[in-house]
Amino acid sequence: GTEVKKFVPELCTQGTRKIAEFQARMDEMASKLNDLKVKTAERKKSTYLKECRQAVTKAEELAKKVAEVASCLVDEELVKQSREQIQKATEETVKAEEAANYAIQDARRTVSARQAETKDNETMLQELTDLQQRVDVARSEVVKQNRLCSSVDHRLHALQIVEKVADEIARSEEQVARMAELVA
């Protein structure tokens, strides 16, 4: 601007006008660049959240599958099954649990990585925190089913003892009833 004014007035006016035109174009391009940066950041956020949601949903689905497979290992169902059926259900539960644990670890890794990258975006951090909580719920469901699966032998043995004792009590009651008849 100042150096152009040192020239002949005719050139000075022409140079000032050109500088103003270039400045206007530069401002316009800066505005477009800023809009592009904002839109790119929004797409990036959307992509990150989509990736995290997919990982969390997969972990939740696999945790549900663990619960479904392990449903036949609850006490009420346990006594109705053969040893082979229980063994098969235990193996299927372990396989489902391994897949769920892998998916949960993947979801945790994905969400944690995105949380580290977006420390300055409060709304995205809140969404990621909510997703992390969903992962934690899925993990606790898998842990619950793991305990159920790992205690099968112990619970089955306890149920067999209870049945045996119940049979002995029933036989004893029958014997008492017969003795009462003989005495009467």
Side-chain angles (χ1 to χ4, degrees):
T2 359
E3 292 193 24
V4 171
K5 292 181 182 177
K6 293 179 186 176
F7 294 111
V8 181
E10 184 179 300
L11 288 175
C12 178
T13 326
Q14 190 179 7
T16 306
R17 192 171 13 97
K18 285 282 190 185
I19 289 175
E21 288 174 17
F22 287 138
Q23 186 64 44
R25 283 186 62 204
M26 193 170 79
D27 290 344
E28 180 185 331
M29 291 197 179
S31 175
K32 286 181 180 180
L33 178 62
N34 192 35
D35 289 345
L36 184 62
K37 284 181 180 179
V38 168
K39 289 178 182 178
T40 300
E42 288 173 3
R43 281 194 306 272
K44 189 175 181 181
K45 173 187 171 188
S46 176
T47 302
Y48 282 173
L49 287 174
K50 183 178 179 181
E51 176 188 20
C52 290
R53 283 187 194 112
Q54 287 174 339
V56 170
T57 300
K58 181 179 179 183
E60 289 173 327
E61 289 171 355
L62 290 173
K64 251 184 228 176
K65 184 177 179 187
V66 172
E68 290 170 9
V69 172
S71 66
C72 60
L73 298 177
V74 294
D75 288 346
E76 298 81 32
E77 297 295 318
L78 204 57
V79 293
K80 300 176 186 176
Q81 299 179 46
S82 69
R83 251 308 178 199
E84 293 79 29
Q85 290 172 320
I86 293 170
Q87 184 64 32
K88 182 179 177 189
T90 302
E91 290 170 3
E92 287 176 5
T93 302
V94 168
K95 285 180 187 175
E97 184 183 332
E98 288 172 359
N101 281 331
Y102 180 79
I104 288 169
Q105 287 174 342
D106 181 53
R108 276 190 177 158
R109 240 187 333 268
T110 302
V111 171
S112 294
R114 298 304 171 230
Q115 283 174 326
E117 292 173 6
T118 58
K119 290 180 182 173
D120 57 339
N121 189 333
E122 283 298 317
T123 56
M124 188 165 171
L125 278 175
Q126 183 57 48
E127 290 184 57
L128 291 171
T129 301
D130 294 344
L131 290 171
Q132 188 68 47
Q133 289 172 346
R134 287 173 50 192
V135 171
D136 292 342
V137 169
R139 177 70 188 134
S140 60
E141 179 63 29
V142 171
V143 168
K144 176 182 161 187
Q145 299 307 322
N146 175 280
R147 288 186 188 130
L148 182 70
C149 184
S150 64
S151 67
V152 166
D153 289 333
H154 177 70
R155 289 181 301 120
L156 187 59
H157 182 68
L159 288 170
Q160 289 170 343
I161 291 173
V162 168
E163 276 185 29
K164 190 176 182 180
V165 169
D167 288 344
E168 288 177 16
I169 289 174
R171 280 195 303 262
S172 296
E173 287 175 347
E174 287 176 17
Q175 288 177 350
V176 168
R178 277 189 258 139
M179 293 290 210
E181 287 176 12
L182 288 176
V183 171

